[in-house]
Amino acid sequence: MNIYVLMKRTFDTEEKISINGGQIEEDGAEFIINPYDEYAVEEAIQIRDAHEGEVTVVSVGSEEAGKQLRMALAMGADKAVLINTEDDLKEGDQFTTAKILVEYFKDKEVDLILAGNVAIDGGSGQVGPRIADMLGIPYVTTITNIDIDGSNVFVTRDVEGDSEMIKTSLPLLVTCQQGLNDPRYPSLPGIMKAKKKPLEELELDDLDLEEEDVESKTKILDIFLPPDKTAGHVLKGDLTHQVQELVSLLRSEAKVI
Amino acid sequence: MGKKVLVLGETRDGQLRNVSFEAVAAGKKVAQGGEVIGVLIGESVSMLANELIQYGADRVLAVEDAKLSQYTPDGYSQAFMAVVEQEQPEGIVFGHTALGKDLSPKIAAKLNAGLISDATSVEEEDGAIVFTRPIYSGKAFEKIIVKDRLIFATVRPNNIQSLEKDESRSGDATSVSVSITDLRTVIQDVVRKAAGGVDLSEAKVIVAGGRGVKSDEGFKPLKELAGVLGGAVGASRGACDAGYCDYSMQIGQTGKVVTPDLYIACGISGAIQHLAGMSNSKVIVAINKDPDANIFNVADYGIVGDLFEVVPMLSEEIKKLKAAQL
Ligand SMILES: Cc1cc2nc3c(=O)[nH]c(=O)nc-3n(C[C@H](O)[C@H](O)[C@H](O)COP(=O)(O)OP(=O)(O)OC[C@H]3O[C@@H](n4cnc5c(N)ncnc54)[C@H](O)[C@@H]3O)c2cc1C
Ligand SMILES: Cc1cc2nc3c(=O)[nH]c(=O)nc-3n(C[C@H](O)[C@H](O)[C@H](O)COP(=O)(O)OP(=O)(O)OC[C@H]3O[C@@H](n4cnc5c(N)ncnc54)[C@H](O)[C@@H]3O)c2cc1C
């Protein structure tokens, strides 16, 4: 089975965000594999181990994403591909990323593509379904379970807390939701082996894409931080009094009950 | 010149969702004086047309087919694209719900269009339609526009004010017929777990429990409080990881991002990943026995105490208040 994982490098969830010159400040920040894409890598490895085949992890980004790709290789993926847009593109959006990945997949035999539910930075959840549509394959988003039986696939999809049991078939794209699995930590031998696994680097040229083919459809005008929350009012006195005061504040000051 | 805008009217248990009325209000802004057309998709949905009009749609198109009784990306995209072909809109607005999030990128791909997901506001600035949306799970925001003529966005529930319902409004409701073919994903069963039908992303009040709740049993007083307030119950990842509740209840950077009017955090320490999902709530109450817990740094009101004492007292006090108001 040819299994592909779409992986985005993103800020560590621990990071506070600051803005410098109209851009999110990246200096000094820690980066990780987008947490939902970790579920995708883990699931891909488990499916390969159960059904045989090969797991290729693909990322669109800059040179730095190589580190997260190595991490995925250390977890157990077989190959990695970095589509490096650093020299070719200044701006990009979800259309850009999807279009680049679709070009990459055009000449591949794809059985299953696993993506994350959303990237925790951009947060749109667009990239997976866009790619599936452009490749003409079905997709199921926010999955919490997947069973593959020949070309039949049974998936559980989380829909605002309810679970849908869905029957579909390969080739297929899924996006992974929390609860799907517990991603493994790379082992020391895994990390050693990863150094020898192939990490291919491509540029737009290698995909026969011109800058204008992938020009973003949206434009960011400004980035700003939410207003600082100042620590509020910790109530005092005996508990009964505190609870009464809280209810009265919620009613007359905050006006929410 | 105004734009013609399509707004998807989404249903849940046979009723239109509030977010669809909010989407109509957003659609009005995008239309800049043009026409807002409500789109209903389902097995039997045309009777909801009037309500969509009363909330501001100018007319409604309904696509009805037995194959549309449940949402599937293939079925709904065929239905919606038939409407797009008929109307040639210059704007499209969906709610950013599970359905809207799943369907909108597929439609955007088919139209080769830009898409602004999860917008929390829409404003006209110098003639341009500017959207604001959270990035980094609400740790920052961006202002963003679509460059092309077709403006396509999804709006986050609870953020854009819907218009006053006007029962005197009327408009045409017509049907569009489509033959729905080749559904490549088939829903075989649905297991309903979402308690009480109040969805977290749309709830006006959320009572959330953390590891401090200590067991699934420990969620009982929280459920009671949520019931009294007509709200939903959420959780921290700490509580989900410990197995006290389902991951679908998780709020935070890798869970749901919510913006209710009132968020009551019980036994939650206030980790940065949790705050990312709830710190933009209008009013935050923290109940925690540790006076140094970080959650107090974002709370508007805090009570230092044992949640198993405080939460039931709070339910009682609010019940009393409600009884007095009757
Ligand atoms: C050349 C270029 C320049 C960019 N410049 C900016 C900028 O200035 N400001 C800005 O905010 N953003 C920029 N971006 C990023 C872009 O706007 C989106 O963040 C990106 O396309 C993904 O969208 P998202 O974050 O909403 O991801 P989602 O659609 O939420 O991601 C869902 C899933 O899709 C997959 N996926 C997403 N992105 C990638 C990827 N890059 N590689 C592999 N798989 C992926 C992952 O599986 C992920 O879990 C740029 C992108 C490119 C290609
Ligand atoms: C990649 C990543 C993603 C993450 N995503 C999320 C996310 O989306 N959402 C999320 O919530 N977390 C997330 N986390 C986890 C986060 O870092 C914290 O571990 C988690 O939020 C802690 O949950 P908690 O506050 O319930 O537990 P704890 O931190 O253990 O806090 C429990 C609190 O309960 C209080 N308490 C105990 N008993 C009582 C009592 N009887 N009465 C009153 N108070 C009591 C304690 O004082 C303490 O403050 C993520 C972590 C990582 C690494």
Side-chain angles (χ1 to χ4, degrees):
Chain A
M1 229 162 113
N2 291 321
I3 307 167
Y4 290 87
V5 177
L6 309 181
M7 189 216 79
K8 189 179 187 189
R9 165 186 184 259
T10 178
F11 266 65
D12 193 326
T13 57
E14 288 288 340
E15 293 291 338
K16 291 215 168 70
I17 301 296
S18 60
I19 291 170
N20 190 353
Q23 299 283 334
I24 302 283
E25 176 65 83
E26 298 203 348
D27 281 356
E30 293 284 327
F31 286 83
I32 55 172
I33 297 177
N34 179 44
Y36 292 102
D37 304 351
E38 263 189 350
Y39 300 122
V41 174
E42 176 63 36
E43 200 63 24
I45 294 168
Q46 291 186 17
I47 291 170
R48 177 206 57 201
D49 291 348
H51 299 269
E52 296 186 344
E54 195 173 69
V55 175
T56 307
V57 184
V58 190
S59 192
V60 178
S62 63
E63 195 70 48
E64 273 104 62
K67 196 170 159 202
Q68 281 69 40
L69 286 170
R70 286 276 174 223
M71 183 72 105
L73 292 173
M75 285 172 75
D78 301 292
K79 291 195 213 161
V81 178
L82 171 63
I83 305 174
N84 190 340
T85 55
E86 230 168 348
D87 295 338
D88 297 323
L89 299 173
K90 286 225 158 42
E91 290 184 272
D93 66 0
Q94 290 82 8
F95 165 79
T96 312
T97 306
K99 176 88 184 173
I100 292 171
L101 286 164
V102 166
E103 280 307 311
Y104 168 79
F105 282 120
K106 277 233 163 108
D107 60 354
K108 307 281 182 298
E109 287 254 341
V110 173
D111 293 305
L112 181 66
I113 303 176
L114 298 108
N117 161 26
V118 294
I120 60 166
D121 48 4
S124 73
Q126 289 183 26
V127 171
R130 272 188 187 263
I131 290 173
D133 190 74
M134 289 158 90
L135 291 174
I137 63 174
Y139 64 88
V140 182
T141 57
T142 58
I143 70 159
T144 55
N145 191 53
I146 179 164
D147 287 313
I148 299 173
D149 179 8
S151 75
N152 283 333
V153 185
F154 299 87
V155 272
T156 307
R157 170 168 183 251
D158 168 46
V159 191
E160 295 172 358
D162 293 336
S163 296
E164 284 177 359
M165 312 299 170
I166 293 173
K167 183 177 177 213
T168 182
S169 57
L170 299 177
L172 175 72
L173 183 145
V174 293
T175 76
C176 302
Q177 171 70 311
Q178 181 155 248
L180 179 62
N181 55 43
D182 281 318
R184 70 194 68 191
Y185 291 104
S187 64
L188 200 55
I191 294 168
M192 299 311 289
K193 266 200 234 156
K195 291 185 177 155
K196 297 200 194 83
K197 290 181 181 172
L199 195 165
E200 184 186 9
E201 202 173 312
L202 301 173
E203 295 195 358
L204 288 196
D205 216 23
D206 302 308
L207 300 172
D208 282 328
L209 279 172
E210 303 290 335
E211 225 172 290
E212 55 269 26
D213 298 332
V214 297
E215 191 193 326
S216 64
K217 307 252 175 213
T218 55
K219 186 174 172 57
I220 299 168
L221 303 178
D222 189 21
I223 293 178
F224 60 96
L225 299 179
D228 260 344
K229 265 256 171 191
T230 44
H233 184 162
V234 175
L235 305 175
K236 300 251 153 53
D238 76 72
L239 216 49
T240 318
H241 173 77
Q242 286 189 39
V243 169
Q244 283 167 350
E245 194 186 348
L246 176 62
V247 172
S248 124
L249 285 167
L250 289 177
R251 194 165 107 89
S252 39
E253 190 178 89
K255 300 193 167 55
V256 286
I257 57 175
Chain B
M1 253 290 285
K3 286 178 183 283
K4 188 195 264 190
V5 178
L6 300 181
V7 175
L8 182 67
E10 188 183 335
T11 59
R12 189 183 171 97
D13 299 330
Q15 301 284 316
L16 281 163
R17 297 182 67 162
N18 277 332
V19 67
S20 298
F21 306 136
E22 296 163 6
V24 170
K28 285 260 184 207
K29 290 231 171 114
V30 174
Q32 296 177 295
E35 191 184 27
V36 173
I37 305 168
V39 180
L40 292 166
I41 300 175
E43 185 169 16
S44 147
V45 283
S46 50
M47 65 287 187
L48 300 168
N50 238 355
E51 199 179 4
L52 214 47
I53 289 168
Q54 290 172 348
Y55 273 98
D58 296 303
R59 61 185 165 101
V60 170
L61 296 170
V63 188
E64 296 184 310
D65 191 300
K67 291 203 186 86
L68 298 170
S69 64
Q70 282 170 309
Y71 169 74
T72 57
D74 286 335
Y76 267 53
S77 63
Q78 289 170 34
F80 196 82
M81 286 306 291
V83 175
V84 168
E85 254 132 55
Q86 178 182 310
E87 297 293 336
Q88 302 291 325
E90 296 167 277
I92 302 175
V93 184
F94 293 178
H96 195 73
T97 56
L99 186 159
K101 193 180 135 205
D102 190 271
L103 179 65
S104 56
K106 185 171 176 76
I107 303 287
K110 291 196 182 301
L111 294 170
N112 202 25
L115 167 62
I116 294 174
S117 297
D118 206 16
T120 52
S121 88
V122 197
E123 293 303 332
E124 185 178 323
E125 287 177 22
D126 305 324
I129 302 298
V130 180
F131 294 88
T132 302
R133 62 182 297 273
I135 51 174
Y136 295 83
S137 324
K139 291 178 186 171
F141 287 84
E142 68 187 10
K143 283 192 166 192
I144 184 166
I145 56 169
V146 182
K147 293 198 247 174
D148 297 343
R149 231 165 61 102
L150 175 71
I151 296 181
F152 190 179
T154 65
V155 297
R156 174 178 291 196
N158 262 353
N159 281 267
I160 291 164
Q161 184 75 40
S162 56
L163 304 171
E164 254 340 286
K165 185 172 184 176
D166 177 355
E167 305 209 347
S168 69
R169 272 179 71 87
S170 62
D172 278 350
T174 41
S175 73
V176 176
S177 73
V178 182
S179 70
I180 305 293
T181 55
D182 189 27
L183 301 185
R184 293 169 299 176
T185 59
V186 178
I187 302 176
Q188 297 189 308
D189 196 11
V190 181
V191 181
R192 302 209 67 163
K193 287 191 279 187
V198 187
D199 176 54
L200 273 178
S201 60
E202 279 193 289
K204 296 281 180 206
V205 177
I206 293 174
V207 182
R211 221 190 305 264
V213 165
K214 294 196 175 70
S215 64
D216 52 353
E217 195 59 11
F219 266 99
K220 267 201 178 148
L222 277 63
K223 284 183 188 149
E224 154 128 37
L225 179 57
V228 174
L229 290 165
V233 179
S236 71
R237 170 139 152 204
C240 300
D241 281 345
Y244 307 159
C245 60
D246 201 79
Y247 276 113
S248 60
M249 286 164 67
Q250 183 181 315
I251 290 164
Q253 191 144 16
T254 49
K256 296 212 161 66
V257 178
V258 296
T259 41
D261 292 341
L262 174 60
Y263 189 91
I264 306 180
C266 311
I268 293 177
S269 61
I272 186 166
Q273 295 95 344
H274 188 76
L275 301 188
M278 48 62 78
S279 61
N280 295 314
S281 304
K282 286 180 198 98
V283 175
I284 297 169
V285 173
I287 300 166
N288 196 303
K289 66 180 184 189
D290 173 7
D292 296 325
N294 191 46
I295 191 77
F296 288 117
N297 292 323
V298 298
D300 298 281
Y301 306 107
I303 291 184
V304 178
D306 184 344
L307 73 93
F308 295 106
E309 266 182 83
V310 178
V311 173
M313 284 166 78
L314 198 51
S315 298
E316 282 313 307
E317 204 56 40
I318 293 166
K319 271 192 217 155
K320 268 195 238 162
L321 177 77
K322 300 237 150 153
Q325 280 173 339
L326 286 178

